[in-house]
mmCIF file with all atom_site columns, all heavy atoms in Angstrom:
data_model
loop_
_atom_site.group_PDB
_atom_site.id
_atom_site.type_symbol
_atom_site.label_atom_id
_atom_site.label_alt_id
_atom_site.label_comp_id
_atom_site.label_asym_id
_atom_site.label_entity_id
_atom_site.label_seq_id
_atom_site.pdbx_PDB_ins_code
_atom_site.Cartn_x
_atom_site.Cartn_y
_atom_site.Cartn_z
_atom_site.occupancy
_atom_site.B_iso_or_equiv
_atom_site.pdbx_formal_charge
_atom_site.auth_seq_id
_atom_site.auth_comp_id
_atom_site.auth_asym_id
_atom_site.auth_atom_id
_atom_site.pdbx_PDB_model_num
ATOM 1   N N   . HIS B 1 17  ? -0.653  6.009  34.648  1.00 73.00 ? 17  HIS B N   1
ATOM 2   C CA  . HIS B 1 17  ? 0.492   5.219  34.213  1.00 73.00 ? 17  HIS B CA  1
ATOM 3   C C   . HIS B 1 17  ? 1.708   6.031  33.799  1.00 73.00 ? 17  HIS B C   1
ATOM 4   O O   . HIS B 1 17  ? 2.680   5.487  33.330  1.00 73.00 ? 17  HIS B O   1
ATOM 5   C CB  . HIS B 1 17  ? 0.082   4.272  33.091  1.00 73.00 ? 17  HIS B CB  1
ATOM 6   C CG  . HIS B 1 17  ? -0.357  4.982  31.848  1.00 73.00 ? 17  HIS B CG  1
ATOM 7   N ND1 . HIS B 1 17  ? -1.527  5.672  31.781  1.00 73.00 ? 17  HIS B ND1 1
ATOM 8   C CD2 . HIS B 1 17  ? 0.235   5.095  30.649  1.00 73.00 ? 17  HIS B CD2 1
ATOM 9   C CE1 . HIS B 1 17  ? -1.640  6.189  30.558  1.00 73.00 ? 17  HIS B CE1 1
ATOM 10  N NE2 . HIS B 1 17  ? -0.590  5.850  29.871  1.00 73.00 ? 17  HIS B NE2 1
ATOM 11  N N   . MET B 1 18  ? 1.641   7.342  33.933  1.00 78.00 ? 18  MET B N   1
ATOM 12  C CA  . MET B 1 18  ? 2.875   8.116  33.687  1.00 78.00 ? 18  MET B CA  1
ATOM 13  C C   . MET B 1 18  ? 2.744   9.480  34.354  1.00 78.00 ? 18  MET B C   1
ATOM 14  O O   . MET B 1 18  ? 1.650   9.956  34.648  1.00 78.00 ? 18  MET B O   1
ATOM 15  C CB  . MET B 1 18  ? 3.157   8.242  32.196  1.00 78.00 ? 18  MET B CB  1
ATOM 16  C CG  . MET B 1 18  ? 2.004   8.742  31.340  1.00 78.00 ? 18  MET B CG  1
ATOM 17  S SD  . MET B 1 18  ? 2.472   8.735  29.597  1.00 78.00 ? 18  MET B SD  1
ATOM 18  C CE  . MET B 1 18  ? 0.900   8.816  28.796  1.00 78.00 ? 18  MET B CE  1
ATOM 19  N N   . TYR B 1 52  ? -0.092  12.976 -13.419 1.00 88.00 ? 52  TYR B N   1
ATOM 20  C CA  . TYR B 1 52  ? -1.112  13.293 -14.419 1.00 88.00 ? 52  TYR B CA  1
ATOM 21  C C   . TYR B 1 52  ? -0.887  14.661 -15.047 1.00 88.00 ? 52  TYR B C   1
ATOM 22  O O   . TYR B 1 52  ? -1.273  14.892 -16.185 1.00 88.00 ? 52  TYR B O   1
ATOM 23  C CB  . TYR B 1 52  ? -2.513  13.160 -13.815 1.00 88.00 ? 52  TYR B CB  1
ATOM 24  C CG  . TYR B 1 52  ? -2.840  11.720 -13.622 1.00 88.00 ? 52  TYR B CG  1
ATOM 25  C CD1 . TYR B 1 52  ? -2.908  11.153 -12.366 1.00 88.00 ? 52  TYR B CD1 1
ATOM 26  C CD2 . TYR B 1 52  ? -2.987  10.888 -14.723 1.00 88.00 ? 52  TYR B CD2 1
ATOM 27  C CE1 . TYR B 1 52  ? -3.144  9.808  -12.209 1.00 88.00 ? 52  TYR B CE1 1
ATOM 28  C CE2 . TYR B 1 52  ? -3.224  9.543  -14.585 1.00 88.00 ? 52  TYR B CE2 1
ATOM 29  C CZ  . TYR B 1 52  ? -3.301  9.007  -13.334 1.00 88.00 ? 52  TYR B CZ  1
ATOM 30  O OH  . TYR B 1 52  ? -3.518  7.673  -13.183 1.00 88.00 ? 52  TYR B OH  1
ATOM 31  N N   . TYR B 1 55  ? 1.338   13.826 -17.776 1.00 83.00 ? 55  TYR B N   1
ATOM 32  C CA  . TYR B 1 55  ? 0.610   13.182 -18.863 1.00 83.00 ? 55  TYR B CA  1
ATOM 33  C C   . TYR B 1 55  ? -0.226  14.187 -19.661 1.00 83.00 ? 55  TYR B C   1
ATOM 34  O O   . TYR B 1 55  ? -0.337  14.093 -20.874 1.00 83.00 ? 55  TYR B O   1
ATOM 35  C CB  . TYR B 1 55  ? -0.356  12.117 -18.321 1.00 83.00 ? 55  TYR B CB  1
ATOM 36  C CG  . TYR B 1 55  ? 0.257   10.805 -17.893 1.00 83.00 ? 55  TYR B CG  1
ATOM 37  C CD1 . TYR B 1 55  ? -0.481  9.909  -17.140 1.00 83.00 ? 55  TYR B CD1 1
ATOM 38  C CD2 . TYR B 1 55  ? 1.554   10.462 -18.229 1.00 83.00 ? 55  TYR B CD2 1
ATOM 39  C CE1 . TYR B 1 55  ? 0.061   8.702  -16.741 1.00 83.00 ? 55  TYR B CE1 1
ATOM 40  C CE2 . TYR B 1 55  ? 2.099   9.269  -17.832 1.00 83.00 ? 55  TYR B CE2 1
ATOM 41  C CZ  . TYR B 1 55  ? 1.352   8.378  -17.088 1.00 83.00 ? 55  TYR B CZ  1
ATOM 42  O OH  . TYR B 1 55  ? 1.883   7.190  -16.691 1.00 83.00 ? 55  TYR B OH  1
ATOM 43  N N   . LYS B 1 142 ? -11.235 16.265 -16.870 1.00 78.00 ? 142 LYS B N   1
ATOM 44  C CA  . LYS B 1 142 ? -11.564 15.266 -15.855 1.00 78.00 ? 142 LYS B CA  1
ATOM 45  C C   . LYS B 1 142 ? -10.403 14.959 -14.927 1.00 78.00 ? 142 LYS B C   1
ATOM 46  O O   . LYS B 1 142 ? -10.590 14.864 -13.713 1.00 78.00 ? 142 LYS B O   1
ATOM 47  C CB  . LYS B 1 142 ? -12.075 13.996 -16.510 1.00 78.00 ? 142 LYS B CB  1
ATOM 48  C CG  . LYS B 1 142 ? -11.119 13.421 -17.537 1.00 78.00 ? 142 LYS B CG  1
ATOM 49  C CD  . LYS B 1 142 ? -11.822 12.418 -18.397 1.00 78.00 ? 142 LYS B CD  1
ATOM 50  C CE  . LYS B 1 142 ? -10.924 11.806 -19.428 1.00 78.00 ? 142 LYS B CE  1
ATOM 51  N NZ  . LYS B 1 142 ? -10.120 12.742 -20.245 1.00 78.00 ? 142 LYS B NZ  1
ATOM 52  N N   . ASN B 1 143 ? -9.184  14.828 -15.474 1.00 81.00 ? 143 ASN B N   1
ATOM 53  C CA  . ASN B 1 143 ? -8.065  14.482 -14.600 1.00 81.00 ? 143 ASN B CA  1
ATOM 54  C C   . ASN B 1 143 ? -7.758  15.622 -13.639 1.00 81.00 ? 143 ASN B C   1
ATOM 55  O O   . ASN B 1 143 ? -7.564  15.419 -12.448 1.00 81.00 ? 143 ASN B O   1
ATOM 56  C CB  . ASN B 1 143 ? -6.825  14.137 -15.414 1.00 81.00 ? 143 ASN B CB  1
ATOM 57  C CG  . ASN B 1 143 ? -7.003  12.838 -16.168 1.00 81.00 ? 143 ASN B CG  1
ATOM 58  O OD1 . ASN B 1 143 ? -6.712  12.752 -17.333 1.00 81.00 ? 143 ASN B OD1 1
ATOM 59  N ND2 . ASN B 1 143 ? -7.535  11.832 -15.499 1.00 81.00 ? 143 ASN B ND2 1
ATOM 60  N N   . VAL C 2 112 ? 0.147   1.261  27.754  1.00 93.00 ? 112 VAL C N   1
ATOM 61  C CA  . VAL C 2 112 ? 0.660   1.967  26.574  1.00 93.00 ? 112 VAL C CA  1
ATOM 62  C C   . VAL C 2 112 ? 0.491   3.472  26.798  1.00 93.00 ? 112 VAL C C   1
ATOM 63  O O   . VAL C 2 112 ? -0.188  3.888  27.750  1.00 93.00 ? 112 VAL C O   1
ATOM 64  C CB  . VAL C 2 112 ? -0.064  1.535  25.289  1.00 93.00 ? 112 VAL C CB  1
ATOM 65  C CG1 . VAL C 2 112 ? 0.250   0.103  24.949  1.00 93.00 ? 112 VAL C CG1 1
ATOM 66  C CG2 . VAL C 2 112 ? -1.559  1.745  25.405  1.00 93.00 ? 112 VAL C CG2 1
ATOM 67  N N   . ALA C 2 113 ? 1.074   4.277  25.925  1.00 93.00 ? 113 ALA C N   1
ATOM 68  C CA  . ALA C 2 113 ? 1.064   5.719  26.146  1.00 93.00 ? 113 ALA C CA  1
ATOM 69  C C   . ALA C 2 113 ? -0.353  6.277  26.125  1.00 93.00 ? 113 ALA C C   1
ATOM 70  O O   . ALA C 2 113 ? -0.693  7.150  26.912  1.00 93.00 ? 113 ALA C O   1
ATOM 71  C CB  . ALA C 2 113 ? 1.930   6.418  25.102  1.00 93.00 ? 113 ALA C CB  1
ATOM 72  N N   . MET C 2 219 ? -5.136  6.186  1.241   1.00 91.00 ? 219 MET C N   1
ATOM 73  C CA  . MET C 2 219 ? -5.496  7.209  0.250   1.00 91.00 ? 219 MET C CA  1
ATOM 74  C C   . MET C 2 219 ? -5.718  6.570  -1.119  1.00 91.00 ? 219 MET C C   1
ATOM 75  O O   . MET C 2 219 ? -6.605  6.979  -1.866  1.00 91.00 ? 219 MET C O   1
ATOM 76  C CB  . MET C 2 219 ? -4.361  8.231  0.170   1.00 91.00 ? 219 MET C CB  1
ATOM 77  C CG  . MET C 2 219 ? -4.770  9.515  -0.460  1.00 91.00 ? 219 MET C CG  1
ATOM 78  S SD  . MET C 2 219 ? -6.080  10.273 0.494   1.00 91.00 ? 219 MET C SD  1
ATOM 79  C CE  . MET C 2 219 ? -7.225  10.623 -0.797  1.00 91.00 ? 219 MET C CE  1
ATOM 80  N N   . GLY C 2 233 ? -11.067 9.851  -12.842 1.00 81.00 ? 233 GLY C N   1
ATOM 81  C CA  . GLY C 2 233 ? -10.066 9.655  -13.893 1.00 81.00 ? 233 GLY C CA  1
ATOM 82  C C   . GLY C 2 233 ? -8.642  9.475  -13.398 1.00 81.00 ? 233 GLY C C   1
ATOM 83  O O   . GLY C 2 233 ? -7.699  9.894  -14.040 1.00 81.00 ? 233 GLY C O   1
ATOM 84  N N   . VAL C 2 234 ? -8.471  8.842  -12.230 1.00 86.00 ? 234 VAL C N   1
ATOM 85  C CA  . VAL C 2 234 ? -7.111  8.633  -11.733 1.00 86.00 ? 234 VAL C CA  1
ATOM 86  C C   . VAL C 2 234 ? -6.596  7.242  -12.115 1.00 86.00 ? 234 VAL C C   1
ATOM 87  O O   . VAL C 2 234 ? -5.446  7.099  -12.519 1.00 86.00 ? 234 VAL C O   1
ATOM 88  C CB  . VAL C 2 234 ? -7.048  8.840  -10.208 1.00 86.00 ? 234 VAL C CB  1
ATOM 89  C CG1 . VAL C 2 234 ? -5.637  8.652  -9.709  1.00 86.00 ? 234 VAL C CG1 1
ATOM 90  C CG2 . VAL C 2 234 ? -7.523  10.237 -9.856  1.00 86.00 ? 234 VAL C CG2 1
ATOM 91  N N   . LEU C 2 239 ? -10.818 7.090  -18.717 1.00 82.00 ? 239 LEU C N   1
ATOM 92  C CA  . LEU C 2 239 ? -10.870 8.515  -18.386 1.00 82.00 ? 239 LEU C CA  1
ATOM 93  C C   . LEU C 2 239 ? -9.470  9.109  -18.323 1.00 82.00 ? 239 LEU C C   1
ATOM 94  O O   . LEU C 2 239 ? -9.249  10.121 -17.670 1.00 82.00 ? 239 LEU C O   1
ATOM 95  C CB  . LEU C 2 239 ? -11.575 8.707  -17.037 1.00 82.00 ? 239 LEU C CB  1
ATOM 96  C CG  . LEU C 2 239 ? -13.045 8.290  -16.975 1.00 82.00 ? 239 LEU C CG  1
ATOM 97  C CD1 . LEU C 2 239 ? -13.573 8.416  -15.550 1.00 82.00 ? 239 LEU C CD1 1
ATOM 98  C CD2 . LEU C 2 239 ? -13.877 9.150  -17.902 1.00 82.00 ? 239 LEU C CD2 1
ATOM 99  N N   . ASP C 2 242 ? -4.255  5.869  -15.123 1.00 90.00 ? 242 ASP C N   1
ATOM 100 C CA  . ASP C 2 242 ? -3.183  4.903  -15.357 1.00 90.00 ? 242 ASP C CA  1
ATOM 101 C C   . ASP C 2 242 ? -3.298  3.763  -14.346 1.00 90.00 ? 242 ASP C C   1
ATOM 102 O O   . ASP C 2 242 ? -3.014  3.945  -13.171 1.00 90.00 ? 242 ASP C O   1
ATOM 103 C CB  . ASP C 2 242 ? -1.832  5.596  -15.210 1.00 90.00 ? 242 ASP C CB  1
ATOM 104 C CG  . ASP C 2 242 ? -0.685  4.677  -15.565 1.00 90.00 ? 242 ASP C CG  1
ATOM 105 O OD1 . ASP C 2 242 ? -0.941  3.476  -15.816 1.00 90.00 ? 242 ASP C OD1 1
ATOM 106 O OD2 . ASP C 2 242 ? 0.458   5.145  -15.593 1.00 90.00 ? 242 ASP C OD2 1
#
Side-chain angles (χ1 to χ4, degrees):
Chain B
H17 64 289
M18 51 183 162
Y52 287 109
Y55 283 166
K142 55 196 180 311
N143 291 133
Chain C
V112 293
M219 198 61 229
V234 181
L239 296 175
D242 185 354

